[in-house]
């Protein structure tokens, strides 16, 4: 317990937290001042590693959706790392011409080994159009770049602005 009121606790580990290992902490039996006991609460966490060139791939792009549909970009983590996408960005032809890309998130967003995440402007429409996909892997971002229907480029950029992955497409695809 780390404060006088007993409302905060610090949990420490007797071993080092290792990358590439999923950890779980379960707490139960805590009570408030009125004697109400908490249910068991479980928290899962990992120690993320930096993503490097070759770790993440642009696995799919929908640049010409059906009428009423929305674009999406899907990435795949082919590494054995848990990678935090905080600060990563997606770009289009604007990146190749002027270095402009759009931030995925400023919050922690972990993509696990062999994991997929799809990014779209409208999660509801994408989930409705592809109901067999798990909605937890579809991430809505307000500022997804536009992708022309005839041809273009999709890029994945790390937090330092390095181009990690690029895919050039045409409407023949």
């Amino acid at each position: 317990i780390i404060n006088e009121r007993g409302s905060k606790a610090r949990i420490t580990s007797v071993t080092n937290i290792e990358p590439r290992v999923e950890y779980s902490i379960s707490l139960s039996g805590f009570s408030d001042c009125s004697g109400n006991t908490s249910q068991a609460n479980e928290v899962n966490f990992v120690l993320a590693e930096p993503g490097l060139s070759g770790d993440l791939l642009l696995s799919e792009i929908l640049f010409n959706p059906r009428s009423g549909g929305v674009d999406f970009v899907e990435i795949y983590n082919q590494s054995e790392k848990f990678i935090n996408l905080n600060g990563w960005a997606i770009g289009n032809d604007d990146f190749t011409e002027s270095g402009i890309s759009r931030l995925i998130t400023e919050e922690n967003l972990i993509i696990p080994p062999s994991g997929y995440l799809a990014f779209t402007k409208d999660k509801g429409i994408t989930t409705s159009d592809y109901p067999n996909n798990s909605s937890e892997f579809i991430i809505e971002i307000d500022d997804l770049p536009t992708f022309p229907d005839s041809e273009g480029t999709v890029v994945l950029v790390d937090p330092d602005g390095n181009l990690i992955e690029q895919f050039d497409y045409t409407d023949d695809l």
Side-chain angles (χ1 to χ4, degrees), residues 26 44 72 154:
S26 180
N44 299 315
F72 70 77
V154 184

Side-chain angles (χ1 to χ4, degrees), residues 1 14 21 27 33 36 39 41 49 58 86 131-132 173:
I1 305 298
V14 293
V21 176
L27 303 173
C33 297
N36 299 312
Q39 299 293 322
N41 292 305
E49 296 177 79
L58 292 163
N86 182 341
N132 291 334
L173 298 175

Side-chain angles (χ1 to χ4, degrees), residues 1-2 23-24 32 37 50 54 58 62 86 111 116 128 138 142 151 153 166 171 173:
I1 305 298
I2 61 171
Y23 294 92
S24 179
D32 61 19
T37 304
L58 292 163
L62 179 62
N86 182 341
I111 184 168
Y116 290 88
S128 175
I138 299 172
D142 295 332
E151 65 181 351
T153 300
Q166 178 174 331
D171 59 358
L173 298 175

Side-chain angles (χ1 to χ4, degrees), residues 65-86:
R66 64 164 183 79
S67 178
V70 293
D71 292 351
F72 70 77
V73 173
E74 181 185 80
I75 64 171
Y76 171 70
N77 181 357
Q78 71 173 358
S79 77
E80 295 181 7
K81 304 174 185 176
F82 291 88
I83 298 173
N84 190 346
L85 297 176
N86 182 341

Side-chain angles (χ1 to χ4, degrees), residues 6-70:
S7 62
K8 292 185 180 181
R10 177 178 295 134
I11 300 171
T12 58
S13 174
V14 293
T15 60
N16 290 333
I17 305 296
E18 299 289 331
R20 303 181 189 185
V21 176
E22 292 183 72
Y23 294 92
S24 179
I25 295 174
S26 180
L27 303 173
S28 62
F30 284 88
S31 60
D32 61 19
C33 297
S34 299
N36 299 312
T37 304
S38 70
Q39 299 293 322
N41 292 305
E42 186 171 290
V43 175
N44 299 315
F45 66 95
V46 296
L47 180 61
E49 296 177 79
L52 302 174
S53 183
D55 287 342
L56 299 174
L57 302 176
L58 292 163
S59 55
E60 187 172 350
I61 175 173
L62 179 62
F63 57 88
N64 189 2
R66 64 164 183 79
S67 178
V70 293

